[in-house]
Amino acid sequence: RVQRLEDIEEIHELMYAYGRDVDTKNFAALGRLFAAKGRWGGVKGPGMIGPDGIREGMIKAFGADDWKNHFHVFTNAIIHLDGDRATAISKWQFTGPAPGGGARTLLAGHYDDVFIRVDGHWKFLRRTVINDVPSPPRKP
Protein backbone atom coordinates (compact mmCIF):
# COMPACT_ATOMS: atom_id res chain seq x y z
CA ARG A 1 0.00 0.00 0.00
CA VAL A 2 2.85 2.40 0.74
CA GLN A 3 4.37 1.78 -2.71
CA ARG A 4 1.01 2.61 -4.31
CA LEU A 5 0.86 5.94 -2.46
CA GLU A 6 4.48 6.72 -3.37
CA ASP A 7 3.77 5.92 -7.04
CA ILE A 8 0.70 8.17 -7.13
CA GLU A 9 2.65 11.00 -5.49
CA GLU A 10 5.53 10.66 -7.95
CA ILE A 11 3.09 10.76 -10.88
CA HIS A 12 1.46 13.89 -9.43
CA GLU A 13 4.91 15.48 -9.15
CA LEU A 14 5.64 14.51 -12.77
CA MET A 15 2.41 16.19 -13.87
CA TYR A 16 3.27 19.36 -11.91
CA ALA A 17 6.82 19.40 -13.32
CA TYR A 18 5.26 19.31 -16.79
CA GLY A 19 3.24 22.43 -15.94
CA ARG A 20 6.26 24.23 -14.53
CA ASP A 21 8.37 23.39 -17.57
CA VAL A 22 5.67 24.40 -20.07
CA ASP A 23 4.99 27.70 -18.31
CA THR A 24 8.69 28.58 -18.08
CA LYS A 25 9.31 27.27 -21.61
CA ASN A 26 12.02 24.96 -20.31
CA PHE A 27 11.38 22.56 -23.16
CA ALA A 28 14.63 20.62 -22.62
CA ALA A 29 13.50 19.73 -19.08
CA LEU A 30 10.01 19.03 -20.38
CA GLY A 31 11.36 16.55 -22.92
CA ARG A 32 13.19 14.66 -20.17
CA LEU A 33 9.84 13.98 -18.45
CA PHE A 34 9.02 11.60 -21.32
CA ALA A 35 10.24 8.04 -21.91
CA ALA A 36 12.54 7.35 -24.87
CA LYS A 37 9.50 6.52 -27.03
CA GLY A 38 7.20 8.91 -25.18
CA ARG A 39 4.67 10.77 -27.28
CA TRP A 40 3.04 14.20 -26.86
CA GLY A 41 0.06 15.06 -29.06
CA GLY A 42 -3.06 17.10 -29.28
CA VAL A 43 -3.75 20.76 -29.75
CA LYS A 44 -0.59 21.67 -31.71
CA GLY A 45 -0.25 18.72 -33.99
CA PRO A 46 -0.47 14.96 -34.42
CA GLY A 47 2.41 14.12 -32.14
CA MET A 48 5.99 14.56 -31.06
CA ILE A 49 8.08 11.52 -30.11
CA GLY A 50 10.94 11.11 -27.64
CA PRO A 51 12.61 13.68 -25.38
CA ASP A 52 14.49 15.43 -28.22
CA GLY A 53 11.51 15.36 -30.56
CA ILE A 54 9.26 16.79 -27.87
CA ARG A 55 11.79 19.53 -27.03
CA GLU A 56 12.15 20.54 -30.69
CA GLY A 57 8.42 20.28 -31.35
CA MET A 58 7.57 22.44 -28.34
CA ILE A 59 10.07 25.10 -29.38
CA LYS A 60 8.51 25.15 -32.85
CA ALA A 61 4.91 25.09 -31.58
CA PHE A 62 5.13 27.40 -28.56
CA GLY A 63 8.54 29.09 -28.58
CA ALA A 64 7.33 32.33 -30.16
CA ASP A 65 4.17 32.59 -28.04
CA ASP A 66 4.17 35.46 -25.55
CA TRP A 67 3.17 33.87 -22.24
CA LYS A 68 4.12 36.75 -19.99
CA ASN A 69 1.69 36.72 -17.06
CA HIS A 70 0.10 33.46 -18.28
CA PHE A 71 0.09 30.08 -16.53
CA HIS A 72 -1.55 26.67 -16.41
CA VAL A 73 -3.76 25.34 -13.62
CA PHE A 74 -4.04 21.56 -13.19
CA THR A 75 -6.83 19.77 -11.32
CA ASN A 76 -8.84 16.59 -10.85
CA ALA A 77 -6.13 14.02 -11.62
CA ILE A 78 -7.49 10.49 -11.41
CA ILE A 79 -4.62 8.01 -11.56
CA HIS A 80 -4.92 4.25 -12.08
CA LEU A 81 -1.86 2.07 -11.41
CA ASP A 82 -1.16 -1.25 -13.11
CA GLY A 83 2.30 -2.48 -12.14
CA ASP A 84 4.93 -0.46 -14.02
CA ARG A 85 2.28 1.34 -16.06
CA ALA A 86 -0.37 3.84 -15.09
CA THR A 87 -3.05 5.96 -16.71
CA ALA A 88 -4.59 9.27 -15.72
CA ILE A 89 -7.21 11.74 -16.76
CA SER A 90 -6.85 15.31 -15.49
CA LYS A 91 -8.12 18.82 -16.19
CA TRP A 92 -6.15 21.90 -17.24
CA GLN A 93 -6.78 25.61 -17.71
CA PHE A 94 -4.58 28.19 -19.38
CA THR A 95 -4.99 31.49 -17.56
CA GLY A 96 -3.97 35.00 -18.55
CA PRO A 97 -4.68 38.65 -17.87
CA ALA A 98 -8.27 39.83 -18.26
CA PRO A 99 -9.09 43.14 -19.88
CA GLY A 100 -9.38 45.71 -17.11
CA GLY A 101 -7.38 43.63 -14.61
CA GLY A 102 -7.58 40.28 -12.94
CA ALA A 103 -7.27 36.92 -14.63
CA ARG A 104 -9.39 34.85 -16.98
CA THR A 105 -9.36 31.34 -18.37
CA LEU A 106 -8.25 31.49 -21.99
CA LEU A 107 -8.37 27.77 -22.77
CA ALA A 108 -9.43 24.67 -20.87
CA GLY A 109 -9.40 20.97 -21.46
CA HIS A 110 -8.14 17.66 -20.23
CA TYR A 111 -5.16 15.34 -20.52
CA ASP A 112 -5.33 11.65 -21.32
CA ASP A 113 -2.05 10.19 -20.00
CA VAL A 114 -0.18 6.90 -20.01
CA PHE A 115 2.88 6.55 -17.75
CA ILE A 116 5.65 4.00 -17.57
CA ARG A 117 8.22 3.28 -14.87
CA VAL A 118 11.74 3.69 -16.28
CA ASP A 119 14.76 2.86 -14.10
CA GLY A 120 12.58 3.13 -11.00
CA HIS A 121 10.96 6.49 -11.88
CA TRP A 122 7.73 7.43 -13.63
CA LYS A 123 7.79 9.06 -17.09
CA PHE A 124 5.14 10.02 -19.60
CA LEU A 125 4.67 7.34 -22.24
CA ARG A 126 1.87 9.32 -23.87
CA ARG A 127 0.33 12.69 -23.08
CA THR A 128 -2.65 13.68 -25.21
CA VAL A 129 -3.91 17.24 -24.81
CA ILE A 130 -7.62 17.76 -25.52
CA ASN A 131 -8.88 21.32 -25.81
CA ASP A 132 -12.45 21.25 -24.47
CA VAL A 133 -12.95 25.04 -24.35
CA PRO A 134 -11.17 26.70 -27.26
CA SER A 135 -10.30 30.36 -27.27
CA PRO A 136 -12.72 32.74 -28.96
CA PRO A 137 -11.85 33.75 -32.53
CA ARG A 138 -9.38 36.60 -32.80
CA LYS A 139 -10.72 39.91 -34.05
CA PRO A 140 -9.25 40.94 -37.43
Side-chain angles (χ1 to χ4, degrees), residues 18 20-34 51-65 67:
Y18 172 93
R20 177 200 61 224
D21 294 341
V22 167
D23 286 345
T24 61
K25 293 188 176 184
N26 188 346
F27 298 134
L30 181 91
R32 290 189 296 270
L33 301 176
F34 287 78
D52 291 337
I54 291 165
R55 176 181 46 82
E56 292 299 321
M58 289 289 185
I59 290 168
K60 184 176 178 182
F62 298 109
D65 290 355
W67 288 352

Side-chain angles (χ1 to χ4, degrees), residues 33-54:
L33 301 176
F34 287 78
K37 294 184 180 182
R39 179 180 296 270
W40 184 97
V43 298
K44 284 281 190 169
M48 304 166 197
I49 300 173
D52 291 337
I54 291 165

Side-chain angles (χ1 to χ4, degrees), residues 37-87:
K37 294 184 180 182
R39 179 180 296 270
W40 184 97
V43 298
K44 284 281 190 169
M48 304 166 197
I49 300 173
D52 291 337
I54 291 165
R55 176 181 46 82
E56 292 299 321
M58 289 289 185
I59 290 168
K60 184 176 178 182
F62 298 109
D65 290 355
D66 180 15
W67 288 352
K68 191 172 189 175
N69 301 316
H70 292 70
F71 57 91
H72 287 82
V73 176
F74 302 102
T75 64
N76 301 66
I78 300 170
I79 299 168
H80 296 281
L81 297 170
D82 185 15
D84 287 338
R85 286 185 170 247
T87 58

Side-chain angles (χ1 to χ4, degrees), residues 106-127:
L106 303 172
L107 302 168
H110 69 278
Y111 293 110
D112 181 4
D113 294 320
V114 177
F115 306 94
I116 189 167
R117 193 186 323 257
V118 177
D119 297 327
H121 296 285
W122 290 98
K123 301 252 182 195
F124 288 102
L125 183 59
R126 187 190 79 226
R127 174 155 258 207

